Amino acid sequence: MKGILTYSEWAKLLTSIKNREDDKQNLSIIQNSKFDATGSALQRFITRFSRMLEDRINDAKERFKKNCSRSTSSDSDLIQALLSLRKEFCYLYEVSLAIDIPEEYKTQFQQKIIEIANETQDALESTQNADIFGRLAALVRNHKVNTIGVENE
């Protein structure tokens, strides 16, 4: 896979990632690319990258809510929604590992993704406490959305 070099190409790639266009190919492009900028260009890129992460996470959470709010949601639908949310967090973590930016920014992005995943898992577990039979709580505990980086470390 051919790497990219210019800020313009990076901007297009981040838009593609934000729009969920061919995640596998985008990750491959990132792994084969370098971002050689400093100063204000780096700051613009970091801002743009951060916005992309926020948009993807917010979109994933909205899709999760939508999938869970269907009146015909079954256990398998909930499990699929949980796994989809976990997959999104893992993908964004992989992107943050692969991106060629200074280590301090990488670490900040990775910590933020893990923090959001942990907060999401905690929120899911706390809302399932009202589950009388514990069935939903068990599903949420057994299909955690915050198992990020476990297979990467």
Side-chain angles (χ1 to χ4, degrees):
M1 187 61 45
K2 180 183 162 244
I4 57 176
L5 297 171
T6 67
Y7 184 85
S8 172
E9 290 172 319
W10 276 105
K12 288 177 186 173
L13 180 66
L14 292 180
T15 300
S16 178
I17 293 171
K18 177 184 160 215
N19 295 333
R20 302 175 44 84
E21 299 168 3
D22 201 351
D23 285 343
K24 211 177 247 189
Q25 180 182 359
N26 287 336
L27 183 58
S28 178
I29 292 169
I30 288 172
Q31 291 168 334
N32 294 307
S33 299
K34 288 222 170 276
F35 186 76
D36 292 327
T38 57
S40 63
L42 177 62
Q43 289 305 314
R44 282 193 317 272
F45 179 79
I46 295 299
T47 300
R48 189 174 223 139
F49 187 82
S50 179
R51 244 184 275 131
M52 178 276 298
L53 287 176
E54 289 173 13
D55 290 346
R56 282 283 299 241
I57 290 170
N58 291 337
D59 183 50
K61 286 181 176 182
E62 285 302 313
R63 281 193 322 275
F64 176 79
K65 285 180 196 174
K66 183 180 174 185
N67 291 338
C68 291
S69 68
R70 295 185 180 133
S71 59
T72 60
S73 289
S74 64
D75 288 357
S76 63
D77 291 335
L78 177 59
I79 290 169
Q80 187 60 40
L82 288 166
L83 294 177
S84 178
L85 190 56
R86 179 196 309 168
K87 182 179 175 185
E88 186 72 15
F89 285 132
C90 288
Y91 174 74
L92 294 174
Y93 188 85
E94 281 185 63
V95 168
S96 72
L97 278 174
I99 199 96
D100 181 38
I101 56 175
E103 204 59 40
E104 65 189 83
Y105 295 111
K106 273 185 168 183
T107 302
Q108 288 175 5
F109 288 132
Q110 292 161 6
Q111 289 173 343
K112 189 64 175 171
I113 292 166
I114 290 170
E115 177 186 326
I116 292 170
N118 287 337
E119 289 171 358
T120 303
Q121 181 66 32
D122 291 345
L124 289 170
E125 288 177 2
S126 69
T127 59
Q128 299 310 320
N129 287 340
D131 179 19
I132 296 172
F133 300 108
R135 182 179 56 83
L136 295 176
L139 290 175
V140 169
R141 271 193 318 275
N142 292 331
H143 300 89
K144 294 182 181 284
V145 300
N146 64 342
T147 55
I148 299 171
V150 174
E151 57 278 342
N152 294 328
E153 294 177 350

